[in-house]
Amino acid sequence: MAAVAVRIDLDKRQVACSVHDLLPDVLRGGLGAPGEGLTRLSVGAELHRIVQGQRQEEDPRYTSEVAVDATLTIDGWGLRVLGRADGITRGPDGRHIVEEIKTLHFRSELHHPFARERLERYRWQARLYAYCLFPSGEASARLLLVDLGGQDHRVEDVAWSPGEVTAYLRARLHALVAAERTREATRARWRAAAEELPFPFDSPRPVQDEAMAAVADTLESGRHLLLAAPTGVGKTAAALYPAVKLALATGRRVAMLTAKTLQQALAVQTLQGMQRGGWSSIQIRAKAKMCANREVVCHEEFCLHARDYGSKLAERGVLPALLSAGPHLDPDRIYAVAHAAEVCPFEVSLELLDETSAVVCDYNYVFDPTIALFGLAEEGSLENTFLIVDEAHNLVDRAREYYSPRLSRATVRDARRLVEGHRHRVCRELNTLLGDLDRFITGRVSDALGSREGSQRATLEPQPLSEYRIGLDALVAPYFTFKRDAELWLARDPVLDVLLSLARVTDLLEDGGRELVPLAERTSAEPEAEALRIFCLDASRFTGSVLARSAGCVAMSATLEPFEFYRDLLGFAEDRTDTISLPSPFPRENRLIVAVDEVDTTFRARPRWYGRIAELVGELAPADRNALVLFPSYAFLQEVASRLAAPGHRIEVQRGDDSDRLRNEMLARLRGNHEPVLLLGVLGGVFAEGVDYPGEMLSEVMVVSPGLPQVGPERELLRRYFDDRYERGFEYAYLIPGMTRVVQAAGRLIRSSEDRGVIALVCKRFLAEPYVSLLPADWTASDPASLRREDPAAAVRAFFLALDLES
């Protein structure tokens, strides 16, 4: 049974919690001990189910997954305990026996320094289930320990009595109540802060007031909001201010989620502008960037900051030092303090989450199932969290990626190369198992594709992969022991990569949802170019379950229309979701939008028009000013670039393999006062999204073609699925994603009230349905024909001439 959040009503003297919440605390040792975490991520749950099945086969009296819902009275307090016991049976004398199953690596975990505390925690879990189900003591309790690394198991009878458990519960109950009274004092301080919370800037903008009112109304009623607002509205402050105010007033938390780290700076600045009254915020930085070790190897045997983590954290006062230093917990400061105390900076960041009222982090920490295990999405924690999803249009594809794991021969072969040169027994066993897995992948790919290259739906059953998964996990603990003895540590271990890929692929195969399609892939004739993959067509079921657990969500973007597309594909419940679309706050005369409909850029027609498109780019390029020209693909870009002549401009061309250094050099040339730049890039690329071009850095954006995704096997799977489920196949698979890229790219141009510029749309489709209806309403003013100019180049020259005369 999923854990429930602890609920304590001090006035009514009532407590509701899970059995897990009542277990004794265990001081954490080091990080990354053999078996720690891997069981949860891998086969622990699978083996748990297998053992329950075996118990039912061998014992007809055995009942698995027995619900527990007990209400007890202790010292005038009502204590409701919820949970689910692994199983119940009867002994030869007819007496009930309550069983608790635990899977662990015997060779490592039973002899770990903290094994005694861990086993005692397991025993108390068995005692509590027995007491809740049989409070008079008419049942026995039993632990069944199952070895993840072999076939061994151990049975331990757990002694208990009602008096002993009642005394234990009394102590745990009063500890929970004392902690709640401390939290209530904190909440009182937060409520006072909410009353006097300052707006983070001088004053709200007129459109901002409307947005803030919508956010406040939505979150106060526990609903969701899709907020479409163009650049300049001030979406970040408009969402954060009412959300933080409500969170402080009600003892909740705000999580500001972004697609890119660069977007987090404004959120942090906005939060800092509101911080009065003793509430804290934190920015979570990616684990790799917070690592204080020379390599990202989270294991106590290799990393000083993982060794004795729990004891060092407590003894060296890391958390109090950080919490007393200022209201915002900056990752640089967290890193410095944790590094000095020789504890893991990233783990310290996660420890601090419970002390904060606002969190700024990547989407991953809430929506990615492989990362959210350690963050905000733990069961019970989201119901008191308001989510704000920035640039929410990005989450559709990102969420699909979370549920599209790949198991490749390349990774399997990397793992084999790592172990095959060693004579140790575990390496020989790993090499054999990985070899079998490699042949399994080859067989399934050949069955689906024959000798062809490409991607094809595959017949893939979970059982064979589950067996490989169990076999591989059984070798993980001895493999860690081997690595420790051989001092073989890697920042990225391919053996673990295979294990985690197997776990994700198997889990999703067992899920069996029709939106999860198994694929066989072959990208070239090379053996390592083969893979098995789950392709997630629609992640709305998964993201929707996260949203449903939250206290409320605001998803915002300049490109969040049509609303039904994002509501459907992100899983927002229709009866719990409001929408609002706000106008641009900037004067219309600050920009000129022209549509050039004399050319056809459809895939089949475009080769006939490459020359004319190149001429149009040269004609529309503004004299003595920088311009950005965006194409749907590198191939299209190159065809036009090879024909392009733009006297007076330096032509720069984005390439798929450009390094960060080359990209930064291009941006530096746009900032310079030298020769004007005509930068050719691709829609959806680094220059089209996520980069601001302030002031004179950019004066024109030309978008050549609506930028629909390329037709291919996977995109066609999406089209057929969306057609079947929503009856909007072409629209959801091609049209809206393509036009979203166009509007996002054009939004790079006008970012402030001082910015002026031209948006040029080059293709006849921009003025035809269904494309024209997806252009922002304030672009067309209900008259799409107004974007057509008899002489577009002359209109552009006249616009910039008027600007020059003004200045």
Side-chain angles (χ1 to χ4, degrees):
M1 180 176 180
V4 296
V6 178
R7 294 182 177 88
I8 301 178
D9 189 323
L10 295 175
D11 295 329
K12 295 181 179 179
R13 296 174 68 85
Q14 292 180 350
V15 177
C17 63
S18 69
V19 167
H20 185 271
D21 296 317
L22 295 168
L23 299 180
D25 297 324
V26 177
L27 179 66
R28 290 181 70 181
L31 301 175
E36 185 177 291
L38 292 171
T39 330
R40 181 174 64 250
L41 289 173
S42 185
V43 304
E46 174 75 14
L47 190 54
H48 198 280
R49 289 191 295 269
I50 291 172
V51 171
Q52 285 178 315
Q54 291 172 343
R55 292 287 293 116
Q56 287 176 314
E57 288 179 5
E58 65 191 22
D59 183 354
R61 296 168 296 182
Y62 183 87
T63 303
S64 65
E65 299 297 319
V66 179
V68 170
D69 188 347
T71 300
L72 316 170
T73 301
I74 300 176
D75 295 346
W77 285 84
L79 174 62
R80 185 184 182 193
V81 183
L82 300 166
R84 194 173 293 275
D86 287 335
I88 295 180
T89 187
R90 288 180 182 268
D93 59 357
R95 182 179 173 86
H96 285 98
I97 302 172
V98 178
E99 285 190 355
E100 181 64 19
I101 301 168
K102 293 298 176 185
T103 55
L104 63 164
H105 291 279
F106 281 12
R107 279 195 284 177
S108 55
E109 292 182 85
L110 284 182
H111 305 290
H112 195 268
F114 292 90
R116 182 176 300 175
E117 290 93 333
R118 186 174 296 164
L119 288 172
E120 187 60 20
R121 184 178 170 90
Y122 296 160
R123 293 180 188 116
W124 273 111
Q125 192 168 356
R127 292 180 186 120
L128 289 172
Y129 280 130
Y131 178 75
C132 289
L133 291 167
F134 303 96
S136 300
E138 64 274 24
S140 302
R142 175 188 293 168
L143 271 183
L144 178 57
L145 304 178
V146 181
D147 184 14
L148 280 164
Q151 302 296 317
D152 196 9
H153 70 275
R154 299 183 187 180
V155 177
E156 177 184 327
D157 291 323
V158 179
W160 73 282
S161 69
E164 176 192 20
V165 177
T166 300
Y168 172 85
L169 285 173
R170 178 175 288 109
R172 294 299 296 168
L173 170 67
H174 287 298
L176 289 173
V177 171
E180 178 62 17
R181 288 191 170 124
T182 300
R183 284 193 294 270
E184 179 54 34
T186 301
R187 287 195 290 268
R189 189 172 71 250
W190 288 348
R191 287 193 291 270
E195 292 291 330
E196 301 179 358
L197 190 72
F199 188 71
F201 302 103
D202 292 339
S203 61
R205 303 167 189 171
V207 180
Q208 223 169 17
D209 279 325
E210 186 179 351
M212 287 192 293
V215 171
D217 288 345
T218 296
L219 296 183
E220 283 173 6
S221 58
R223 295 175 61 79
H224 304 314
L225 178 66
L226 298 180
L227 171 61
T231 301
V233 167
K235 294 187 289 292
T236 301
L240 276 176
Y241 180 70
V244 169
K245 190 176 183 70
L246 182 60
L248 292 173
T250 57
R252 292 187 174 101
R253 175 171 54 192
V254 175
M256 178 75 175
L257 312 177
T258 70
K260 300 181 176 70
T261 304
L262 290 174
Q263 296 165 345
Q264 296 179 7
L266 178 58
V268 168
Q269 178 190 354
T270 302
L271 288 170
Q272 289 176 315
M274 294 187 279
Q275 283 184 313
R276 309 284 189 279
W279 60 276
S280 298
S281 60
I282 187 170
Q283 180 183 4
I284 302 294
R285 184 178 288 166
K287 185 174 186 175
K289 294 182 179 178
M290 288 293 279
C291 183
N293 198 20
R294 64 179 183 269
E295 293 180 279
V296 187
V297 181
C298 302
H299 194 283
E300 61 182 357
E301 296 288 346
F302 182 72
C303 178
L304 174 66
H305 299 78
R307 191 176 308 134
D308 300 325
Y309 171 82
S311 58
K312 288 190 292 189
L313 185 72
E315 293 166 2
R316 299 177 185 180
V318 176
L319 301 185
L322 286 164
L323 290 167
S324 63
H328 179 66
L329 295 159
D330 177 77
D332 288 336
R333 182 152 55 88
I334 294 172
Y335 180 92
V337 173
H339 187 30
E342 297 179 343
V343 291
C344 173
F346 182 74
E347 288 290 327
V348 169
S349 297
L350 301 186
E351 302 272 2
L352 290 164
L353 281 175
D354 285 340
E355 309 297 329
T356 61
S357 299
V359 183
V360 180
C361 60
D362 191 274
Y363 295 164
N364 298 349
Y365 293 102
V366 169
F367 293 107
D368 184 344
T370 63
I371 296 178
L373 290 170
F374 311 103
L376 293 168
E378 290 176 353
E379 293 290 348
S381 67
L382 278 176
E383 65 181 23
N384 287 317
T385 301
F386 296 123
L387 302 178
I388 300 176
V389 184
D390 193 26
E391 301 295 344
H393 65 279
N394 289 307
L395 185 56
V396 174
D397 286 341
R398 179 82 81 86
R400 277 204 294 258
E401 291 172 8
Y402 295 151
Y403 293 92
S404 298
R406 176 180 280 104
L407 178 62
S408 70
R409 290 187 69 193
T411 304
V412 173
R413 288 191 163 201
D414 284 345
R416 291 193 72 186
R417 280 190 284 268
L418 177 65
V419 300
E420 65 186 357
H422 300 278
R423 295 185 176 182
H424 194 282
R425 174 184 170 185
V426 71
C427 292
R428 296 197 306 272
E429 293 177 352
L430 277 170
N431 192 37
T432 299
L433 187 149
L434 291 167
D436 292 342
L437 179 59
D438 187 43
R439 287 184 287 275
F440 175 84
I441 296 172
T442 299
R444 292 299 181 272
V445 172
S446 296
D447 289 344
L449 287 168
S451 59
R452 305 188 314 276
E453 294 179 9
S455 177
Q456 181 70 38
R457 186 188 288 262
T459 300
L460 204 57
E461 297 296 329
Q463 184 60 35
L465 288 174
S466 179
E467 292 173 1
Y468 286 120
R469 175 186 182 183
I470 292 172
L472 184 56
D473 194 88
L475 297 173
V476 166
Y479 173 63
F480 263 96
T481 302
F482 157 73
K483 290 212 307 180
R484 179 195 62 200
D485 295 341
E487 297 186 355
L488 178 65
W489 300 106
L490 303 167
R492 191 172 185 92
D493 188 324
V495 174
L496 297 186
D497 286 346
V498 172
L499 174 61
L500 297 178
S501 295
L502 262 175
R504 293 294 298 132
V505 169
T506 306
D507 286 344
L508 292 172
L509 279 174
E510 290 175 343
D511 177 282
R514 68 185 181 116
E515 72 272 43
L516 302 169
V517 179
L519 297 179
E521 299 177 336
R522 183 184 292 123
T523 56
S524 74
E526 295 297 321
E528 296 190 356
E530 295 180 342
L532 298 175
R533 180 188 178 203
I534 302 297
F535 180 43
C536 179
L537 303 173
D538 180 1
S540 61
R541 176 160 60 94
F542 306 106
T543 53
S545 69
V546 173
L547 296 170
R549 297 201 309 273
S550 72
C553 176
V554 177
M556 57 188 190
S557 172
T559 51
L560 213 54
E561 297 181 89
F563 287 125
E564 59 268 25
F565 173 82
Y566 293 99
R567 188 191 64 214
D568 289 345
L569 297 194
L570 292 178
F572 283 94
E574 185 173 359
D575 60 355
R576 191 187 169 190
T577 304
D578 304 318
T579 63
I580 184 172
S581 180
L582 300 175
S584 172
F586 303 138
R588 290 178 57 83
E589 57 267 23
N590 284 15
R591 71 186 179 207
L592 171 69
I593 304 176
V594 298
V596 182
D597 61 352
E598 66 173 278
V599 297
D600 183 354
T601 64
T602 56
F603 186 78
R604 290 184 178 179
R606 68 181 56 158
R608 302 196 307 270
W609 294 97
Y610 288 145
R612 180 54 187 151
I613 293 170
E615 291 174 357
L616 283 169
V617 170
E619 293 168 6
L620 293 169
D624 302 319
R625 297 172 185 271
N626 298 328
L628 174 64
V629 189
L630 295 166
F631 298 83
S633 68
Y634 286 105
F636 195 166
L637 182 157
Q638 290 295 341
E639 292 288 354
V640 174
S642 66
R643 296 165 170 82
L644 179 60
H649 283 84
R650 177 190 178 115
I651 298 174
E652 296 283 357
V653 178
Q654 178 186 354
R655 293 175 176 80
D657 57 352
D658 282 349
S659 65
D660 289 341
R661 181 182 61 81
L662 290 173
R663 290 169 186 160
N664 290 333
E665 288 177 359
M666 286 189 189
L667 293 174
R669 283 194 281 275
L670 289 173
R671 295 188 193 96
N673 296 317
H674 308 296
E675 185 179 10
V677 174
L678 191 61
L679 174 57
L680 277 58
V682 292
L683 286 165
V686 65
F687 297 115
E689 296 184 25
V691 176
D692 284 342
Y693 300 93
E696 299 298 318
M697 194 173 171
L698 189 65
S699 296
E700 184 174 320
V701 173
M702 281 182 259
V703 180
V704 180
S705 186
L708 273 58
Q710 186 174 350
V711 176
E714 292 184 6
R715 189 57 55 170
E716 282 297 286
L717 283 172
L718 287 170
R719 183 188 60 77
R720 288 192 290 270
Y721 172 85
F722 291 144
D723 207 31
D724 180 55
R725 180 169 181 185
Y726 304 109
E727 298 183 348
R728 304 180 83 165
F730 174 74
E731 188 176 353
Y732 277 18
Y734 291 97
L735 182 61
I736 294 174
M739 292 301 290
T740 297
R741 289 179 176 182
V742 171
V743 179
Q744 277 289 320
R748 301 299 95 198
L749 186 65
I750 307 294
R751 309 292 287 181
S752 74
S753 58
E754 289 76 34
D755 290 337
R756 308 286 191 275
V758 171
I759 298 169
L761 307 174
V762 181
C763 180
K764 68 178 187 179
R765 285 178 289 172
F766 284 120
L767 292 180
E769 291 293 353
Y771 303 87
V772 68
S773 62
L774 292 176
L775 295 176
D778 68 322
W779 284 21
T780 63
S782 302
D783 181 17
S786 65
L787 303 184
R788 185 186 290 110
R789 296 292 193 281
E790 184 175 342
D791 187 342
V796 171
R797 289 193 298 271
F799 177 83
F800 287 116
L801 178 60
L803 287 185
D804 292 337
L805 292 175
E806 284 181 17
S807 60

